[in-house]
Amino acid sequence: MTQIIPQPGIMDIALYVSGESRLPGHDDVLKLSSNENPLGCSDAARAAYAAAAADLHRYPSTDHIALRRAIGDVHGLDPDRIICGVGSDEVLQFVTHAFAGAGDEVITTEHGFSMYPILARMVGAVPVTVPEMDRRIDVDAILCAVTDRTRIVFIANPANPTGTMLTPDEVQRLVDGLPPHVLLVHDGAYTEFAAGADGGVSLVDRHPNVIMTRTFSKIHGLGGLRIGWGYAAGEIIDVLNRIRQPFNLSNAQMAAAEAAIRDTTFRDHCADLNARMRDRLRQSLIQMGIGCDESHANFVLARFIDPAEAEAADAALRADGILVRRVAGYGLPAALRITVGDEDGVTRVIDCLGLFMADRRG
Ligand SMILES: Cc1ncc(COP(=O)(O)O)c(C=O)c1O
């Protein structure tokens, strides 16, 4: 028997379940299980990645300055208050490591992104899950759960897997109600798909206890490369940089990300396509009798009558080579999360579920 004992909390972590990508017997699988960009990434990003192959023997910059400047230029932010990580997951991990520890409380919400409780447990903190209201984050429930031991509140806005969003006034009320020792993490992985959203910039600029995170994995189509970033007050960023490994991002990651963020034409094209296809998918689901809240992200949450119907719908989709996400682990056993595809992808989903529902409900 080993006497090498892991830190408290670690053995309570249930492994993260990612979207499936293979379906035996199908070679034209339509993967709509991980909220990836159906158009891939920008050509400029792909070219920058290829060009980086010439310098594989060189260590990357430790300060990510070129990428931080590019992010700053495009979003009108001070590069000194930006930190980059291996996906926004790594930035979320820096935050948790830096600001929560054994016995502290970390607030997440009922259907919140499953990495948040994992991160809390990783540092020995206690994840405190508060209820949502009809699949929307409930500001009052969060504020009621705050104690002297609370260190961090995680919200994704738009939220995954519900796709719902708090209004700027609701988020403001949340920040105003938090004591100054509590850090609000405003996770904006899906910000670009929410028309007019600033991802938390104005909050960060007014409140020293807010950090916003963003990713290159969704609208920029670089999920396979793993790049994300955060923006906060200089004091917070300084703390996070102290626990960041100096070479956390490779030259290839940074080159591709810099090209991607500067390609605003591609970004806007993707956002426009997503908005049109999301609307078409949602309206079709509703017409078929499948529940579907308005989504502000690049996926929709299809709600069936009960878990058995969701399972049967999933089986019908799989039989047609379509992979979507079961979200029972998010407290939504009667729902499926479906990434918004391109025109053909959305048509395949609508055709499949249309037949399924006609057969099922007559
Ligand atoms: C809400 C939310 N936050 C963060 C992430 C992490 O993204 P990444 O680490 O790829 O930047 C995801 C990915 O699915 C997400 O849905």
Side-chain angles (χ1 to χ4, degrees):
M1 246 301 250
T2 181
Q3 296 193 14
I4 307 296
I5 310 290
Q7 290 292 311
I10 292 182
M11 297 312 288
D12 299 330
I13 295 175
L15 292 186
Y16 179 82
V17 182
S18 65
E20 287 177 276
S21 52
R22 277 189 199 83
L23 204 48
H26 291 271
D27 34 61
D28 64 337
V29 171
L30 176 59
K31 186 181 176 215
L32 301 175
S33 53
S34 298
N35 300 337
E36 294 154 338
N37 187 333
L39 302 184
C41 69
S42 120
D43 290 341
R46 200 174 289 106
Y49 179 76
D55 279 324
L56 292 183
H57 58 302
R58 300 276 182 220
Y59 271 93
S61 96
T62 59
D63 64 9
H64 313 149
I65 184 62
L67 176 56
R68 288 189 292 110
R69 279 202 187 114
I71 295 169
D73 286 350
V74 172
H75 289 286
L77 305 177
D78 175 0
D80 288 344
R81 294 169 55 194
I82 294 172
I83 184 166
C84 301
V86 180
S88 50
D89 274 349
E90 194 187 33
V91 180
L92 298 170
Q93 187 173 341
F94 296 153
V95 171
T96 318
H97 262 128
F99 297 111
D104 290 336
E105 292 172 359
V106 170
I107 296 182
T108 67
T109 64
E110 187 181 0
H111 308 300
F113 181 44
S114 61
M115 277 307 293
Y116 305 151
I118 291 179
L119 291 168
R121 291 197 170 97
M122 205 183 279
V123 300
V126 181
V128 175
T129 306
V130 307
E132 299 193 4
M133 189 124 52
D134 295 334
R135 300 165 301 282
R136 277 185 94 247
I137 290 171
D138 181 344
V139 170
D140 295 306
I142 294 178
L143 294 178
C144 278
V146 172
T147 71
D148 289 348
R149 313 199 77 161
T150 309
R151 292 287 169 272
I152 299 173
V153 172
F154 280 112
I155 62 164
N157 198 36
N160 172 22
T162 58
T164 59
M165 202 171 176
L166 293 179
T167 64
D169 285 351
E170 287 172 310
V171 187
Q172 186 64 56
R173 198 160 68 75
L174 173 59
V175 182
D176 289 342
L178 288 177
H181 72 272
V182 177
L183 179 67
L184 174 70
V185 179
H186 188 280
D187 177 342
Y190 301 96
T191 294
E192 293 88 348
F193 302 108
D198 78 350
V201 171
S202 60
L203 282 178
V204 170
D205 286 342
R206 281 179 286 115
H207 301 276
N209 61 330
V210 179
I211 180 165
M212 57 175 267
T213 56
R214 302 283 289 269
T215 184
F216 284 88
S217 304
K218 307 299 176 187
I219 201 147
H220 298 295
L222 292 174
L225 259 195
R226 313 302 302 125
I227 317 129
W229 56 280
Y231 173 68
E235 292 87 341
I236 301 269
I237 297 300
D238 173 56
V239 172
L240 302 183
N241 270 319
R242 287 166 197 266
I243 57 168
R244 177 177 67 78
Q245 296 217 19
F247 302 110
N248 64 327
L249 288 184
S250 67
N251 283 323
Q253 282 169 300
M254 289 187 275
E258 190 184 333
I261 201 137
R262 291 197 187 279
D263 191 348
T264 52
T265 308
F266 178 73
R267 178 199 67 193
D268 293 347
H269 171 63
C270 295
D272 177 63
L273 177 73
N274 179 71
R276 285 188 289 113
M277 292 303 113
R278 181 177 63 194
D279 195 44
R280 183 176 158 225
L281 178 56
R282 175 168 180 253
Q283 293 310 332
S284 303
L285 294 178
I286 290 171
Q287 269 165 25
M288 293 171 202
I290 300 170
C292 190
D293 298 320
E294 185 182 4
S295 166
H296 301 269
N298 65 341
F299 53 84
V300 299
L301 187 72
R303 284 183 287 118
F304 296 85
I305 281 177
D306 54 26
E309 189 175 78
E311 197 173 320
D314 188 36
L317 288 161
R318 293 170 79 95
D320 274 5
I322 304 170
L323 282 173
V324 300
R325 187 71 160 259
R326 297 295 306 273
V327 281
Y330 283 86
L332 296 161
L336 298 176
R337 191 195 68 189
I338 308 173
T339 301
V340 175
D342 59 11
E343 186 100 45
D344 285 352
V346 168
T347 302
R348 268 177 78 177
V349 172
I350 292 171
D351 288 352
C352 175
L353 287 179
L355 284 175
F356 169 79
M357 291 301 282
D359 193 36
R360 186 143 186 119
R361 296 195 197 163

